[in-house]
Each structure stands twice: as C-alpha cells, then as structure tokens.
C-alpha cells in the first residue's frame, strides 16, 4: 500500500477490475453497429478420436456443423431431432444397446450431434447413427402421427423460464442477432411440418454420417470395439 492512502476494499478492487475489462471489451467490440472483424483463428478439422479414461462405459458422439452439411437450422430439423431421439435412438441405443441415455441435438448455432452416455457398446451406437436417415425415411413413408414430436419440439424451444433465465435468453438473442420474428418463424415451421419436409432431411443425415467428427470417451475395451472408426487415440493421463 502507498503511505497515506487507504488500501482498497474487495468491492473497490472488483469495481476497478471490472472497469478495466469493460474498457478492453469496448475497445475490441464496436458499439456503433459496425461488424466485428473476422477472427484469424481457423476451426479445427473434423477428427475421429478416442479418449481413454478408466471406465467400463463410454460416451460416443458424432457431430457436425450445418454449414458443412449444406443445411440450415429450422423447425423441421427440430421435429426430426425429437423424432429420432424419442423413437430411433431411444429404442436402438438405449433399449437394445444398453446405454443410459442418447439423443439428437440440433442447436441454433448450427451444431448437430447424436450422442450416447454411459454406453457399454459405443461401436454399436456409432453404427446406429449412420442409419438414422434410413429410419427417418421409413417413418415418413408410413402413417404414424407426427403430433407428439411437434409438441415435444415446441416444448424444447419454448420452455418455462425463471426471471434469471429470461434475462439470459434475451441477452443471447441480442448477442447473436436473433429477433422475435426468428422465434415466430421457427414456431411456424414446427407447427406446419410435413412428412415431405422431414424426408428432405435424409440427404443431410447421410452427409452427416460421412463427414462428421467422432469422439468416443471410454475405457480400453470400449475404444478397441470401435476398431478403425477411430483414427486417433489419446489418454487423459498422457499415455498412448
């Protein structure tokens, strides 16, 4: 401390620190509506990786970005994700494969992924992901009711929010440039989805099976069962 000056309290120090951070952010991010300059950091290429951990079960993920698949985020995609999660993946990966959980994620940022967790047979799960398009195509050729999946997609995209979560949601909409009209468009797409529109996603799912990144986190037996599907392997302990 400087003689003759009072040492700042914790709250005063925090205010100074937050002020410096705010100044740095203001200098970096334009506040006048100008576009933020693009980053020079390129994304990592897709990998098919196994990560060794001391576990008898595994976690198997296949993921991609819609830009690389030639698709876009839509209400139709959300309904397809709900359908595949509740029907195909649940019965194939959870019931028959023995995994504790599984699902298909489709997010507004463009990420799509199929996953399993606490999975005793990650090899079977990865194989199941590659046949998702076939299941969707077969389902749409039948006459099963789409209503449960539409309701589920609406519930996922418009959950009950606490005041805190409403604030976070509003902040994310502002930061990502999303508007209320975007939300309304997504709701209209979900409510009006057709079998023909769902069938149109089969090409995207087939492309996803071809170019997705794959990651399996599990024990040695689980990784070994995946064979040549995994082209790289590393251990969290730094071992080969």
């Amino acid at each position: 401390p400087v003689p003759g000056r009072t040492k700042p309290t914790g709250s005063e120090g925090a205010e100074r620190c937050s002020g410096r951070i705010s100044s740095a952010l203001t200098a970096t991010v334009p506040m006048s509506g100008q576009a933020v300059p693009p980053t020079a950091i390129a994304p990592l290429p897709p990998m098919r990786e196994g990560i060794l951990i001391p576990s008898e079960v595994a976690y198997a993920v296949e993921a991609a970005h819609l830009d690389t698949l030639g698709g876009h985020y839509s209400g139709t995609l959300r309904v397809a994700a709900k359908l595949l999660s509740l029907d195909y993946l649940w019965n194939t990966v959870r019931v028959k494969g023995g995994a504790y959980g599984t699902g298909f994620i489709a997010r507004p940022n463009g990420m799509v992924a199929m996953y399993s967790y606490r999975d005793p047979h990650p090899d079977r799960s990865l194989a199941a992901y590659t046949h998702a398009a076939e299941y969707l195509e077969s389902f749409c050729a039948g006459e099963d009711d789409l209503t449960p999946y539409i309701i589920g997609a609406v519930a996922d995209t418009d959950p009950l929010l606490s005041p805190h979560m409403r604030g976070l949601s509003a902040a994310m909409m502002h930061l990502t440039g999303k508007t209320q009209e975007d939300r309304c468009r997504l709701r209209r797409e979900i409510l009006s989805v057709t079998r023909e529109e769902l069938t149109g996603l089969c090409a995207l799912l087939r492309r996803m099976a071809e170019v997705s990144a794959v990651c399996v986190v599990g024990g040695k037996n689980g990784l070994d069962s995946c064979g040549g599907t995994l082209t790289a392997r590393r251990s969290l302990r730094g071992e080969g």
Side-chain angles (χ1 to χ4, degrees):
V2 179
R5 293 183 60 184
T6 303
K7 184 177 180 180
T9 64
S11 59
E12 292 172 343
E15 288 177 2
R16 293 181 185 179
C17 181
S18 63
R20 290 195 297 269
I21 294 174
S22 298
S23 298
L25 286 174
T26 302
T28 303
V29 181
M31 304 299 288
S32 60
Q34 301 175 11
V36 178
T39 177
I41 302 175
L44 294 173
M47 298 180 64
R48 306 179 77 84
E49 183 178 36
I51 300 177
L52 182 63
I53 62 172
S55 175
E56 296 299 320
V57 293
Y59 305 79
V61 178
E62 173 187 280
H65 195 279
L66 289 170
D67 287 348
T68 65
L69 304 178
H72 65 278
Y73 181 70
S74 67
T76 303
L77 184 61
R78 291 304 299 248
V79 176
K82 179 58 65 174
L83 191 160
L84 290 171
S85 294
L86 294 182
D87 271 17
Y88 175 65
L89 293 174
W90 180 264
N91 291 323
T92 305
V93 178
R94 171 69 177 91
V95 177
K96 296 179 182 178
Y100 193 80
T102 183
F104 180 18
I105 298 172
R107 291 184 174 164
N109 64 4
M111 189 197 82
V112 287
M114 299 186 200
Y115 67 90
S116 70
Y117 58 93
R118 296 192 61 80
D119 187 350
H121 303 292
D123 55 324
R124 300 182 191 176
S125 298
L126 293 179
Y129 302 160
T130 65
H131 296 291
E134 297 172 18
Y135 179 85
L136 184 60
E137 203 166 44
S138 174
F139 180 93
C140 292
E143 297 181 356
D144 289 339
D145 189 10
L146 290 175
T147 302
Y149 312 108
I150 293 173
I151 293 174
V154 169
D156 286 347
T157 56
D158 193 13
L160 181 64
L161 300 177
S162 67
H164 172 68
M165 292 304 297
R166 289 174 63 186
L168 288 179
S169 178
M172 287 303 300
M173 287 182 64
H174 174 73
L175 292 172
T176 58
K178 301 297 182 182
T179 65
Q180 180 64 19
E181 176 53 33
D182 292 327
R183 298 182 64 188
C184 292
R185 174 189 55 78
L186 185 71
R187 174 67 64 85
R188 289 193 296 268
E189 290 173 352
I190 292 174
L191 295 176
S192 63
V193 69
T194 65
R195 295 179 184 276
E196 291 73 21
E197 290 172 336
L198 289 172
T199 301
L201 292 176
C202 291
L204 182 145
L205 292 174
R206 291 190 174 95
R207 175 68 173 162
M208 181 178 173
E210 295 173 356
V211 304
S212 287
V214 172
C215 184
V216 178
V217 180
K220 184 178 184 302
N221 292 337
L223 299 189
D224 289 346
S225 71
C226 297
T229 302
L230 304 177
T231 57
R233 183 185 296 195
R234 61 189 174 94
S235 172
L236 290 183
R237 295 180 176 179
E239 305 168 357

